[in-house]
């Protein structure tokens, strides 16, 4: 593995930083990364339009699908700078990181032509209809039904923890199309217009006070058969392709670095004394070392992909490492800042505008969604270490 960036990579990093300095509000450079939230949706959409003008919504995609055919390493450099700056997500995780690449692999020519240009032009937002009240980590236990009726499927059921459903234009949806088939069979992958009659979205407010998650109810929702991705009853394999895309990113590590830099600045400014100072110094050094390790793990995954190798359990390694480390950093942060570290952003005494406290609460979720840390460790144990399943 080459540990140095090329001149091209360094030039891209400088270009992205210059763009972000102009495109983002000044306050985004003044503290820890603002925790992911969909409260400021107009700001997020405005930023996405700015990316679209640069052709940077999905720069790693092939040119025929609206991308720039960037290498994996270039994409990582870009993602690292975007995340470090605390730029709004604007649905990029679902649009660019999940459904787009899945359609490139499994979509029909008509589906690609309809949906991919709208993603790269920042004209559409997607959400994910996977989890259900009785099917989370055991996703194959899902029960939302799709019954074929001529040229449509009629869908009934419920999804939960659906991030951004209250803003989304479209949803990629897993349904059980053959209830008599084995557990991982009989599942189909559908694309549904969120304006379809029979869809009801109810908010779920998380413990940080943000409305990101939703319950989504489907009552006799008609979805055209042409909106099925892949073969009928073979949607599980399409879904697994999507999850492999979802888990391969450097965003968490870049956000972690920003948090650590602000904590280091705070400690330099306050200069605590005695044994407490040494405890903080050593703990900060350990966290910084861990995050540098995570950055190398992230770039190793991109390097493997660029070399044509499949990064499977390696993506699980970085998912566990980065999300758990993020929680450790913000937990340490609110304690380092003392009583003020637990104040909400609305308080005039809040340090860093309360973003460390919000991050402390928000960082619980990433260890659960997209495959919990326990599921990721099972993948590492079986696929990475070759340990038996039972």
């Amino acid at each position: 593995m080459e540990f140095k960036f090329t001149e091209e990579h360094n030039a891209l990093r400088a270009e992205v930083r210059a763009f972000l300095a102009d495109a983002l509000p000044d306050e985004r450079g003044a503290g820890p990364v603002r925790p992911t939230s969909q409260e400021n949706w107009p700001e997020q959409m405005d930023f996405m339009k700015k990316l679209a003008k640069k052709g940077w919504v999905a720069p790693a995609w092939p040119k025929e699908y609206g991308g720039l055919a960037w290498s994996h390493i270039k994409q990582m450099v870009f993602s690292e700078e975007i995340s470090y700056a605390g730029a709004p997500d604007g649905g990029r995780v679902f649009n660019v990181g999940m459904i787009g690449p899945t359609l490139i692999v499994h979509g029909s020519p008509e589906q690609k032509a309809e949906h991919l240009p709208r993603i790269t032009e920042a004209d559409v937002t997607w959400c994910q209809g996977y989890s259900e009240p009785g099917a989370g980590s055991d996703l194959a236990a899902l029960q939302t039904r799709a019954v074929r009726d001529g040229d449509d499927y009629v869908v009934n059921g419920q999804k939960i923890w659906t991030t951004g459903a209250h803003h989304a234009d479209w949803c990629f949806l897993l349904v059980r199309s053959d209830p008599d088939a084995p557990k991982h069979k009989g599942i189909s992958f559908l694309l549904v217009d969120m304006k379809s009659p029979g869809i009801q979205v109810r908010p779920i407010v998380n413990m940080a006070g943000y409305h990101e998650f939703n319950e989504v109810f489907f009552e006799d929702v008609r979805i055209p058969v042409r909106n099925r991705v892949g073969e009928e009853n073979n949607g599980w394999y399409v879904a697994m392709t999507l999850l492999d895309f979802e888990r391969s990113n450097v965003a968490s590590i870049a956000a972690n670095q920003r948090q650590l830099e602000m904590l280091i600045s705070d400690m330099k400014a306050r200069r605590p004394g005695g044994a407490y100072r040494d405890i903080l110094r050593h703990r900060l050094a350990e966290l910084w070392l861990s995050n540098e390790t995570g950055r190398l793990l992230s770039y190793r995954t991109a390097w493997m992909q660029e070399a044509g190798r499949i990064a499977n359990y390696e993506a699980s390694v970085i998912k566990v490492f980065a999300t758990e480390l993020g929680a450790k950093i913000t937990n340490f942060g609110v304690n380092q800042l003392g009583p003020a570290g637990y104040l909400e952003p609305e308080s005039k005494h809040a340090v860093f505008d309360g973003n460390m406290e919000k991050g402390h609460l928000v960082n619980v979720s990433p260890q659960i969604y997209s495959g919990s840390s326990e599921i990721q460790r099972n993948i590492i144990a079986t696929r990475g270490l070759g340990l038996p399943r039972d």
Side-chain angles (χ1 to χ4, degrees), residues 226-340:
R226 68 176 182 274
N227 286 5
R228 186 188 68 230
V229 180
E231 297 298 321
E232 185 172 272
N233 300 327
N234 204 33
W236 181 256
Y237 302 99
V238 179
M240 292 304 99
T241 298
L242 185 144
L243 287 177
D244 279 341
F245 286 122
E246 182 184 8
R247 292 169 183 159
S248 305
N249 67 78
V250 74
S252 297
I253 293 298
N256 289 346
Q257 180 180 341
R258 174 77 169 270
Q259 311 286 43
L260 286 170
E261 288 175 359
M262 299 311 300
L263 289 171
I264 292 167
S265 296
D266 173 77
M267 187 173 175
K268 288 178 178 178
R270 292 194 295 119
R271 301 180 66 83
Y276 182 60
R277 177 197 63 191
D278 291 337
I279 292 172
L280 292 179
R281 283 156 53 102
H282 291 171
R283 186 65 181 133
L284 273 171
E286 289 174 1
L287 291 170
W288 185 271
L289 174 61
S290 294
N291 206 57
E292 286 293 293
T293 302
R295 187 169 186 253
L296 291 174
L297 287 171
S298 293
Y299 273 101
R300 176 175 179 262
T301 299
W303 170 79
M304 290 179 63
Q305 293 170 330
E306 199 154 294
R309 298 166 59 183
I310 298 175
N312 189 292
Y313 77 89
E314 292 87 354
S316 293
V317 168
I318 189 57
K319 201 276 184 178
V320 172
F321 191 92
T323 56
E324 293 189 355
L325 179 59
K328 292 176 183 176
I329 289 170
T330 50
N331 179 63
F332 171 80
V334 293
N335 284 283
Q336 175 184 315
L337 298 176

Side-chain angles (χ1 to χ4, degrees), residues 146-164:
V147 178
R148 184 76 175 262
D149 181 22
D151 292 333
D152 294 334
Y153 290 103
V154 179
V155 175
N156 286 276
Q158 177 188 359
K159 296 296 179 177
I160 198 168
W161 312 121
T162 309
T163 302

Side-chain angles (χ1 to χ4, degrees), residues 7-287:
E7 291 184 6
E8 182 184 17
H9 296 150
N10 291 331
L12 173 63
R13 193 181 296 278
E15 183 182 2
V16 174
R17 288 179 180 177
F19 165 80
L20 292 170
D22 181 64
L24 296 178
D26 291 342
E27 63 268 19
R28 284 200 175 260
V33 172
R34 184 184 303 174
T36 300
S37 167
Q38 300 207 354
E39 306 298 316
N40 58 337
W41 195 247
E43 176 188 336
Q44 299 203 32
M45 291 297 95
D46 178 67
F47 179 73
M48 290 301 296
K49 283 297 184 180
K50 292 177 180 178
L51 283 181
K53 289 181 180 179
K54 292 279 291 183
W56 283 358
V57 170
W61 289 7
K63 292 181 180 180
E64 61 264 35
Y65 302 128
L68 298 174
W70 280 1
S71 67
H72 291 283
I73 298 295
K74 286 185 70 174
Q75 172 66 24
M76 290 285 276
V77 169
F78 174 78
S79 297
E80 186 174 32
E81 292 301 321
I82 289 281
S83 301
Y84 178 84
D89 175 77
R92 288 197 316 278
V93 169
F94 297 104
N95 293 5
V96 179
M98 298 168 67
I99 187 59
T102 302
L103 289 178
I104 290 173
V105 174
H106 293 288
S108 68
E110 294 77 15
Q111 289 167 348
K112 294 175 184 178
E114 179 181 1
H115 296 294
L116 296 181
R118 298 184 67 196
I119 291 175
T120 56
E121 293 166 8
D123 287 336
V124 67
T125 301
W126 287 78
C127 64
Q128 178 186 41
Y130 273 26
S131 296
E132 299 181 2
S137 294
D138 185 15
L139 182 59
L142 64 91
Q143 295 299 315
T144 295
R145 286 291 312 278
V147 178
R148 184 76 175 262
D149 181 22
D151 292 333
D152 294 334
Y153 290 103
V154 179
V155 175
N156 286 276
Q158 177 188 359
K159 296 296 179 177
I160 198 168
W161 312 121
T162 309
T163 302
H166 53 307
H167 295 304
D169 303 294
W170 284 80
C171 176
F172 47 93
L173 182 69
L174 282 185
V175 295
R176 188 159 298 282
S177 47
D178 183 353
D180 299 322
K183 189 174 182 180
H184 290 81
K185 307 288 185 180
I187 293 173
S188 294
F189 190 107
L190 305 179
L191 310 178
V192 55
D193 187 335
M194 289 295 287
K195 296 185 293 295
S196 302
I199 297 178
Q200 181 181 13
V201 178
R202 297 180 186 174
I204 299 174
V205 178
N206 67 20
M207 66 181 181
Y210 293 150
H211 174 198
E212 286 190 277
F213 303 127
N214 301 273
E215 294 178 286
V216 183
F217 297 86
F218 298 85
E219 184 176 355
D220 294 332
V221 177
R222 301 189 76 88
I223 302 174
V225 172
R226 68 176 182 274
N227 286 5
R228 186 188 68 230
V229 180
E231 297 298 321
E232 185 172 272
N233 300 327
N234 204 33
W236 181 256
Y237 302 99
V238 179
M240 292 304 99
T241 298
L242 185 144
L243 287 177
D244 279 341
F245 286 122
E246 182 184 8
R247 292 169 183 159
S248 305
N249 67 78
V250 74
S252 297
I253 293 298
N256 289 346
Q257 180 180 341
R258 174 77 169 270
Q259 311 286 43
L260 286 170
E261 288 175 359
M262 299 311 300
L263 289 171
I264 292 167
S265 296
D266 173 77
M267 187 173 175
K268 288 178 178 178
R270 292 194 295 119
R271 301 180 66 83
Y276 182 60
R277 177 197 63 191
D278 291 337
I279 292 172
L280 292 179
R281 283 156 53 102
H282 291 171
R283 186 65 181 133
L284 273 171
E286 289 174 1
L287 291 170

